[in-house]
Amino acid sequence: MTTRTRHDLIGRKGTVTRQIEVLDAQEAPDGTIDILVSDNVGNTYWTEKDGEIELDS
């Protein structure tokens, strides 16, 4: 099977919405907070808790 580059999609912007669960959290001396999350599609990764991540109460 041959693949082809979709130049019409390269450079476009969008939004990814996922449900996450916080597994661990670390705060650096400068106040930066990193969180280890597991998402609803099976990925686990560290990310910075910033304005783009909203947590339920």
Short mmCIF file of all heavy atoms in Angstrom, two decimals:
data_model
loop_
_atom_site.label_atom_id
_atom_site.label_comp_id
_atom_site.label_asym_id
_atom_site.label_seq_id
_atom_site.Cartn_x
_atom_site.Cartn_y
_atom_site.Cartn_z
N MET A 1 0.84 -1.18 0.00
CA MET A 1 0.00 0.00 0.00
C MET A 1 0.89 1.24 0.00
O MET A 1 1.81 1.36 0.79
CB MET A 1 -0.91 -0.02 1.22
CG MET A 1 -1.80 1.15 1.33
SD MET A 1 -2.91 0.94 2.74
CE MET A 1 -3.84 2.40 2.59
N THR A 2 0.62 2.16 -0.88
CA THR A 2 1.38 3.39 -0.98
C THR A 2 0.66 4.50 -0.22
O THR A 2 -0.55 4.64 -0.32
CB THR A 2 1.54 3.81 -2.46
OG1 THR A 2 2.14 2.74 -3.16
CG2 THR A 2 2.38 5.05 -2.58
N THR A 3 1.42 5.27 0.54
CA THR A 3 0.84 6.41 1.24
C THR A 3 1.20 7.69 0.51
O THR A 3 2.15 7.73 -0.28
CB THR A 3 1.35 6.50 2.69
OG1 THR A 3 2.76 6.66 2.67
CG2 THR A 3 0.99 5.25 3.46
N ARG A 4 0.43 8.74 0.78
CA ARG A 4 0.73 10.03 0.18
C ARG A 4 0.62 11.10 1.24
O ARG A 4 -0.19 11.00 2.17
CB ARG A 4 -0.18 10.35 -1.01
CG ARG A 4 -1.63 10.58 -0.65
CD ARG A 4 -2.46 10.83 -1.91
NE ARG A 4 -3.86 11.00 -1.58
CZ ARG A 4 -4.48 12.16 -1.47
NH1 ARG A 4 -3.82 13.29 -1.66
NH2 ARG A 4 -5.75 12.22 -1.17
N THR A 5 1.42 12.12 1.15
CA THR A 5 1.39 13.23 2.08
C THR A 5 0.18 14.09 1.79
O THR A 5 -0.09 14.46 0.65
CB THR A 5 2.67 14.07 1.96
OG1 THR A 5 3.79 13.22 2.24
CG2 THR A 5 2.66 15.23 2.94
N ARG A 6 -0.58 14.43 2.86
CA ARG A 6 -1.74 15.30 2.73
C ARG A 6 -1.32 16.74 3.04
O ARG A 6 -1.43 17.22 4.15
CB ARG A 6 -2.84 14.83 3.69
CG ARG A 6 -3.47 13.51 3.31
CD ARG A 6 -4.37 13.63 2.09
NE ARG A 6 -5.31 14.72 2.20
CZ ARG A 6 -6.57 14.57 2.64
NH1 ARG A 6 -7.03 13.38 2.94
NH2 ARG A 6 -7.37 15.62 2.75
N HIS A 7 -0.78 17.42 2.04
CA HIS A 7 -0.31 18.79 2.21
C HIS A 7 -1.43 19.74 2.62
O HIS A 7 -1.18 20.76 3.26
CB HIS A 7 0.35 19.28 0.92
CG HIS A 7 1.60 18.52 0.58
ND1 HIS A 7 2.79 18.70 1.24
CD2 HIS A 7 1.83 17.54 -0.33
CE1 HIS A 7 3.70 17.88 0.75
NE2 HIS A 7 3.14 17.15 -0.20
N ASP A 8 -2.67 19.41 2.27
CA ASP A 8 -3.80 20.27 2.63
C ASP A 8 -4.07 20.27 4.14
O ASP A 8 -4.73 21.17 4.65
CB ASP A 8 -5.06 19.85 1.88
CG ASP A 8 -5.47 18.41 2.16
OD1 ASP A 8 -4.57 17.53 2.20
OD2 ASP A 8 -6.67 18.15 2.31
N LEU A 9 -3.55 19.29 4.87
CA LEU A 9 -3.75 19.22 6.32
C LEU A 9 -2.57 19.76 7.11
O LEU A 9 -2.75 20.20 8.26
CB LEU A 9 -4.01 17.77 6.73
CG LEU A 9 -5.25 17.11 6.13
CD1 LEU A 9 -5.33 15.66 6.55
CD2 LEU A 9 -6.50 17.86 6.51
N ILE A 10 -1.40 19.77 6.54
CA ILE A 10 -0.20 20.21 7.24
C ILE A 10 -0.30 21.70 7.56
O ILE A 10 -0.61 22.52 6.70
CB ILE A 10 1.06 19.91 6.41
CG1 ILE A 10 1.19 18.40 6.23
CG2 ILE A 10 2.31 20.50 7.05
CD1 ILE A 10 2.27 17.96 5.28
N GLY A 11 -0.07 22.02 8.84
CA GLY A 11 -0.11 23.40 9.29
C GLY A 11 -1.47 23.84 9.82
O GLY A 11 -1.59 24.90 10.42
N ARG A 12 -2.50 23.02 9.64
CA ARG A 12 -3.82 23.37 10.16
C ARG A 12 -3.83 23.21 11.67
O ARG A 12 -3.06 22.45 12.24
CB ARG A 12 -4.90 22.50 9.53
CG ARG A 12 -4.88 22.64 8.03
CD ARG A 12 -6.14 22.82 7.28
NE ARG A 12 -7.36 23.10 7.95
CZ ARG A 12 -8.52 22.59 7.57
NH1 ARG A 12 -8.59 21.74 6.57
NH2 ARG A 12 -9.62 22.92 8.21
N LYS A 13 -4.71 23.92 12.34
CA LYS A 13 -4.81 23.87 13.80
C LYS A 13 -6.17 23.31 14.19
O LYS A 13 -7.14 23.42 13.45
CB LYS A 13 -4.63 25.26 14.37
CG LYS A 13 -3.33 25.91 13.91
CD LYS A 13 -2.70 26.70 15.00
CE LYS A 13 -1.47 27.43 14.56
NZ LYS A 13 -0.41 26.64 14.04
N GLY A 14 -6.25 22.71 15.37
CA GLY A 14 -7.49 22.14 15.86
C GLY A 14 -7.43 21.95 17.37
O GLY A 14 -6.51 22.41 18.03
N THR A 15 -8.40 21.25 17.89
CA THR A 15 -8.52 21.01 19.32
C THR A 15 -8.72 19.53 19.57
O THR A 15 -9.46 18.88 18.83
CB THR A 15 -9.73 21.78 19.90
OG1 THR A 15 -9.54 23.17 19.65
CG2 THR A 15 -9.88 21.56 21.39
N VAL A 16 -8.07 19.00 20.59
CA VAL A 16 -8.26 17.63 21.01
C VAL A 16 -8.93 17.65 22.37
O VAL A 16 -8.46 18.31 23.29
CB VAL A 16 -6.90 16.88 21.11
CG1 VAL A 16 -7.10 15.49 21.67
CG2 VAL A 16 -6.23 16.83 19.75
N THR A 17 -10.04 16.95 22.49
CA THR A 17 -10.76 16.87 23.75
C THR A 17 -10.69 15.44 24.26
O THR A 17 -11.07 14.51 23.55
CB THR A 17 -12.22 17.29 23.58
OG1 THR A 17 -12.26 18.61 23.03
CG2 THR A 17 -12.96 17.28 24.90
N ARG A 18 -10.17 15.27 25.46
CA ARG A 18 -10.05 13.95 26.07
C ARG A 18 -10.42 14.04 27.54
O ARG A 18 -10.22 15.07 28.18
CB ARG A 18 -8.63 13.42 25.96
CG ARG A 18 -8.18 13.24 24.54
CD ARG A 18 -7.21 12.10 24.45
NE ARG A 18 -6.96 11.80 23.06
CZ ARG A 18 -5.80 11.96 22.46
NH1 ARG A 18 -4.78 12.42 23.13
NH2 ARG A 18 -5.66 11.64 21.20
N GLN A 19 -10.89 12.96 28.08
CA GLN A 19 -11.09 12.84 29.51
C GLN A 19 -9.78 12.33 30.10
O GLN A 19 -9.18 11.40 29.57
CB GLN A 19 -12.22 11.84 29.82
CG GLN A 19 -13.57 12.29 29.35
CD GLN A 19 -14.06 13.51 30.10
OE1 GLN A 19 -13.91 13.60 31.33
NE2 GLN A 19 -14.61 14.46 29.39
N ILE A 20 -9.31 12.96 31.18
CA ILE A 20 -8.07 12.55 31.81
C ILE A 20 -8.28 12.26 33.29
O ILE A 20 -9.22 12.76 33.90
CB ILE A 20 -6.95 13.61 31.65
CG1 ILE A 20 -7.37 14.93 32.31
CG2 ILE A 20 -6.57 13.80 30.21
CD1 ILE A 20 -6.24 15.92 32.46
N GLU A 21 -7.39 11.45 33.83
CA GLU A 21 -7.31 11.22 35.27
C GLU A 21 -5.89 11.56 35.69
O GLU A 21 -4.93 11.09 35.07
CB GLU A 21 -7.62 9.77 35.61
CG GLU A 21 -7.50 9.47 37.08
CD GLU A 21 -7.77 8.01 37.42
OE1 GLU A 21 -8.11 7.23 36.51
OE2 GLU A 21 -7.62 7.66 38.59
N VAL A 22 -5.74 12.37 36.73
CA VAL A 22 -4.42 12.73 37.23
C VAL A 22 -3.90 11.59 38.10
O VAL A 22 -4.55 11.19 39.06
CB VAL A 22 -4.46 14.06 38.02
CG1 VAL A 22 -3.09 14.39 38.57
CG2 VAL A 22 -4.98 15.19 37.15
N LEU A 23 -2.73 11.07 37.74
CA LEU A 23 -2.11 9.97 38.48
C LEU A 23 -1.04 10.44 39.45
O LEU A 23 -0.78 9.80 40.46
CB LEU A 23 -1.48 8.98 37.49
CG LEU A 23 -2.43 8.39 36.44
CD1 LEU A 23 -1.65 7.51 35.48
CD2 LEU A 23 -3.56 7.63 37.09
N ASP A 24 -0.39 11.58 39.15
CA ASP A 24 0.66 12.12 39.99
C ASP A 24 0.78 13.61 39.68
O ASP A 24 0.37 14.05 38.60
CB ASP A 24 1.99 11.41 39.70
CG ASP A 24 3.06 11.64 40.77
OD1 ASP A 24 2.76 12.31 41.79
OD2 ASP A 24 4.19 11.16 40.59
N ALA A 25 1.32 14.37 40.60
CA ALA A 25 1.50 15.81 40.39
C ALA A 25 2.74 16.27 41.14
O ALA A 25 2.98 15.83 42.26
CB ALA A 25 0.27 16.59 40.86
N GLN A 26 3.52 17.16 40.50
CA GLN A 26 4.75 17.68 41.09
C GLN A 26 4.79 19.20 40.87
O GLN A 26 4.48 19.66 39.77
CB GLN A 26 5.96 17.07 40.38
CG GLN A 26 5.94 15.57 40.28
CD GLN A 26 6.72 14.91 41.38
OE1 GLN A 26 7.72 15.44 41.82
NE2 GLN A 26 6.26 13.77 41.83
N GLU A 27 5.17 19.93 41.92
CA GLU A 27 5.31 21.38 41.79
C GLU A 27 6.78 21.76 41.93
O GLU A 27 7.43 21.39 42.92
CB GLU A 27 4.47 22.11 42.84
CG GLU A 27 4.54 23.61 42.68
CD GLU A 27 3.58 24.36 43.59
OE1 GLU A 27 2.83 23.71 44.34
OE2 GLU A 27 3.59 25.61 43.55
N ALA A 28 7.29 22.50 40.97
CA ALA A 28 8.68 22.97 40.99
C ALA A 28 8.78 24.22 41.88
O ALA A 28 7.77 24.87 42.16
CB ALA A 28 9.14 23.29 39.58
N PRO A 29 9.98 24.57 42.32
CA PRO A 29 10.16 25.77 43.15
C PRO A 29 9.62 27.04 42.50
O PRO A 29 9.20 27.96 43.19
CB PRO A 29 11.68 25.85 43.34
CG PRO A 29 12.16 24.44 43.20
CD PRO A 29 11.25 23.83 42.16
N ASP A 30 9.60 27.10 41.16
CA ASP A 30 9.08 28.29 40.48
C ASP A 30 7.56 28.31 40.38
O ASP A 30 6.97 29.22 39.80
CB ASP A 30 9.70 28.45 39.10
CG ASP A 30 9.29 27.35 38.12
OD1 ASP A 30 8.53 26.43 38.51
OD2 ASP A 30 9.73 27.41 36.95
N GLY A 31 6.89 27.28 40.93
CA GLY A 31 5.43 27.23 40.92
C GLY A 31 4.83 26.46 39.75
O GLY A 31 3.63 26.24 39.70
N THR A 32 5.67 26.04 38.80
CA THR A 32 5.19 25.24 37.67
C THR A 32 4.70 23.89 38.17
O THR A 32 5.38 23.24 38.98
CB THR A 32 6.32 25.03 36.64
OG1 THR A 32 6.80 26.29 36.22
CG2 THR A 32 5.84 24.24 35.45
N ILE A 33 3.54 23.46 37.71
CA ILE A 33 2.99 22.17 38.12
C ILE A 33 2.95 21.23 36.92
O ILE A 33 2.38 21.56 35.89
CB ILE A 33 1.57 22.35 38.70
CG1 ILE A 33 1.60 23.27 39.92
CG2 ILE A 33 0.97 20.99 39.07
CD1 ILE A 33 0.24 23.64 40.45
N ASP A 34 3.58 20.08 37.09
CA ASP A 34 3.52 19.02 36.08
C ASP A 34 2.63 17.92 36.60
O ASP A 34 2.68 17.57 37.79
CB ASP A 34 4.92 18.45 35.80
CG ASP A 34 5.81 19.42 35.05
OD1 ASP A 34 5.29 20.18 34.21
OD2 ASP A 34 7.02 19.43 35.31
N ILE A 35 1.78 17.37 35.73
CA ILE A 35 0.88 16.30 36.14
C ILE A 35 1.06 15.10 35.22
O ILE A 35 1.29 15.24 34.02
CB ILE A 35 -0.60 16.75 36.16
CG1 ILE A 35 -1.03 17.32 34.81
CG2 ILE A 35 -0.85 17.75 37.28
CD1 ILE A 35 -2.51 17.69 34.73
N LEU A 36 0.99 13.92 35.82
CA LEU A 36 1.00 12.67 35.08
C LEU A 36 -0.46 12.29 34.89
O LEU A 36 -1.20 12.16 35.87
CB LEU A 36 1.74 11.57 35.85
CG LEU A 36 1.77 10.20 35.21
CD1 LEU A 36 2.53 10.22 33.88
CD2 LEU A 36 2.38 9.18 36.17
N VAL A 37 -0.88 12.15 33.64
CA VAL A 37 -2.28 11.86 33.36
C VAL A 37 -2.42 10.57 32.56
O VAL A 37 -1.53 10.17 31.83
CB VAL A 37 -2.97 13.02 32.60
CG1 VAL A 37 -2.94 14.30 33.42
CG2 VAL A 37 -2.36 13.25 31.24
N SER A 38 -3.58 9.98 32.71
CA SER A 38 -4.00 8.85 31.89
C SER A 38 -5.25 9.33 31.17
O SER A 38 -6.15 9.89 31.79
CB SER A 38 -4.32 7.65 32.79
OG SER A 38 -4.86 6.60 32.03
N ASP A 39 -5.31 9.14 29.84
CA ASP A 39 -6.48 9.62 29.10
C ASP A 39 -7.38 8.46 28.68
O ASP A 39 -7.06 7.30 28.86
CB ASP A 39 -6.08 10.51 27.92
CG ASP A 39 -5.36 9.78 26.80
OD1 ASP A 39 -5.50 8.56 26.67
OD2 ASP A 39 -4.67 10.46 26.02
N ASN A 40 -8.54 8.82 28.15
CA ASN A 40 -9.56 7.84 27.82
C ASN A 40 -9.26 7.03 26.56
O ASN A 40 -10.05 6.17 26.19
CB ASN A 40 -10.93 8.51 27.69
CG ASN A 40 -10.98 9.54 26.59
OD1 ASN A 40 -10.05 10.32 26.40
ND2 ASN A 40 -12.07 9.58 25.85
N VAL A 41 -8.12 7.27 25.91
CA VAL A 41 -7.75 6.46 24.76
C VAL A 41 -6.51 5.60 25.05
O VAL A 41 -5.90 5.06 24.15
CB VAL A 41 -7.56 7.32 23.48
CG1 VAL A 41 -8.87 7.92 23.04
CG2 VAL A 41 -6.52 8.39 23.67
N GLY A 42 -6.14 5.51 26.34
CA GLY A 42 -5.08 4.59 26.74
C GLY A 42 -3.68 5.17 26.84
O GLY A 42 -2.73 4.43 27.07
N ASN A 43 -3.53 6.48 26.70
CA ASN A 43 -2.20 7.11 26.80
C ASN A 43 -1.94 7.58 28.22
O ASN A 43 -2.85 8.03 28.91
CB ASN A 43 -2.11 8.32 25.87
CG ASN A 43 -2.32 7.94 24.43
OD1 ASN A 43 -1.72 7.00 23.93
ND2 ASN A 43 -3.18 8.67 23.74
N THR A 44 -0.69 7.47 28.66
CA THR A 44 -0.25 8.02 29.94
C THR A 44 0.94 8.90 29.64
O THR A 44 1.88 8.48 28.96
CB THR A 44 0.15 6.89 30.91
OG1 THR A 44 -0.98 6.04 31.10
CG2 THR A 44 0.59 7.45 32.25
N TYR A 45 0.91 10.15 30.14
CA TYR A 45 1.99 11.09 29.83
C TYR A 45 2.03 12.23 30.85
O TYR A 45 1.05 12.51 31.53
CB TYR A 45 1.81 11.67 28.42
CG TYR A 45 0.45 12.29 28.17
CD1 TYR A 45 0.21 13.64 28.38
CD2 TYR A 45 -0.61 11.51 27.71
CE1 TYR A 45 -1.03 14.20 28.16
CE2 TYR A 45 -1.86 12.06 27.49
CZ TYR A 45 -2.06 13.41 27.71
OH TYR A 45 -3.31 13.96 27.50
N TRP A 46 3.21 12.85 30.95
CA TRP A 46 3.39 14.04 31.78
C TRP A 46 3.06 15.26 30.93
O TRP A 46 3.40 15.33 29.75
CB TRP A 46 4.83 14.17 32.26
CG TRP A 46 5.15 13.25 33.40
CD1 TRP A 46 5.72 12.02 33.31
CD2 TRP A 46 4.92 13.49 34.79
NE1 TRP A 46 5.86 11.48 34.57
CE2 TRP A 46 5.38 12.36 35.49
CE3 TRP A 46 4.36 14.54 35.51
CZ2 TRP A 46 5.30 12.26 36.88
CZ3 TRP A 46 4.30 14.45 36.88
CH2 TRP A 46 4.76 13.32 37.55
N THR A 47 2.40 16.24 31.55
CA THR A 47 2.11 17.50 30.88
C THR A 47 2.10 18.60 31.93
O THR A 47 1.99 18.33 33.13
CB THR A 47 0.78 17.45 30.10
OG1 THR A 47 0.62 18.64 29.33
CG2 THR A 47 -0.41 17.31 31.04
N GLU A 48 2.22 19.82 31.49
CA GLU A 48 2.18 20.95 32.42
C GLU A 48 0.72 21.33 32.66
O GLU A 48 -0.07 21.39 31.73
CB GLU A 48 2.94 22.14 31.83
CG GLU A 48 3.05 23.31 32.79
CD GLU A 48 3.92 24.43 32.25
OE1 GLU A 48 4.89 24.13 31.53
OE2 GLU A 48 3.60 25.59 32.55
N LYS A 49 0.38 21.54 33.93
CA LYS A 49 -0.97 22.01 34.25
C LYS A 49 -0.98 23.51 33.99
O LYS A 49 -0.41 24.28 34.72
CB LYS A 49 -1.36 21.71 35.68
CG LYS A 49 -2.81 22.11 35.95
CD LYS A 49 -3.16 21.98 37.40
CE LYS A 49 -4.56 22.45 37.66
NZ LYS A 49 -4.87 23.79 37.18
N ASP A 50 -1.61 23.87 32.91
CA ASP A 50 -1.69 25.28 32.55
C ASP A 50 -3.15 25.63 32.26
O ASP A 50 -4.05 24.87 32.59
CB ASP A 50 -0.78 25.60 31.36
CG ASP A 50 -1.09 24.75 30.14
OD1 ASP A 50 -2.16 24.14 30.09
OD2 ASP A 50 -0.25 24.70 29.23
N GLY A 51 -3.38 26.74 31.63
CA GLY A 51 -4.73 27.20 31.33
C GLY A 51 -5.50 26.33 30.38
O GLY A 51 -6.71 26.44 30.27
N GLU A 52 -4.81 25.43 29.66
CA GLU A 52 -5.49 24.57 28.70
C GLU A 52 -6.11 23.34 29.33
O GLU A 52 -6.92 22.66 28.74
CB GLU A 52 -4.52 24.13 27.60
CG GLU A 52 -4.02 25.29 26.76
CD GLU A 52 -3.05 24.85 25.68
OE1 GLU A 52 -2.88 23.64 25.48
OE2 GLU A 52 -2.48 25.73 25.04
N ILE A 53 -5.74 23.03 30.57
CA ILE A 53 -6.26 21.84 31.26
C ILE A 53 -7.21 22.27 32.34
O ILE A 53 -6.87 23.05 33.23
CB ILE A 53 -5.10 21.01 31.86
CG1 ILE A 53 -4.24 20.47 30.73
CG2 ILE A 53 -5.65 19.88 32.73
CD1 ILE A 53 -3.08 19.64 31.17
N GLU A 54 -8.45 21.78 32.23
CA GLU A 54 -9.45 22.09 33.24
C GLU A 54 -9.77 20.80 33.99
O GLU A 54 -10.02 19.76 33.38
CB GLU A 54 -10.72 22.61 32.57
CG GLU A 54 -10.53 23.95 31.88
CD GLU A 54 -11.81 24.44 31.23
OE1 GLU A 54 -12.90 24.06 31.70
OE2 GLU A 54 -11.70 25.19 30.27
N LEU A 55 -9.74 20.88 35.32
CA LEU A 55 -10.04 19.71 36.15
C LEU A 55 -11.40 19.90 36.81
O LEU A 55 -11.76 21.00 37.24
CB LEU A 55 -8.97 19.53 37.22
CG LEU A 55 -7.55 19.28 36.71
CD1 LEU A 55 -6.58 19.23 37.89
CD2 LEU A 55 -7.48 18.00 35.92
N ASP A 56 -12.17 18.80 36.87
CA ASP A 56 -13.46 18.82 37.59
C ASP A 56 -13.17 18.94 39.08
O ASP A 56 -12.09 18.58 39.55
CB ASP A 56 -14.24 17.55 37.31
CG ASP A 56 -14.56 17.36 35.84
OD1 ASP A 56 -14.61 18.38 35.11
OD2 ASP A 56 -14.76 16.21 35.42
N SER A 57 -14.15 19.43 39.83
CA SER A 57 -13.94 19.54 41.28
C SER A 57 -14.06 18.22 41.97
O SER A 57 -14.50 17.27 41.52
CB SER A 57 -14.92 20.47 41.93
OG SER A 57 -15.78 21.12 41.12
#
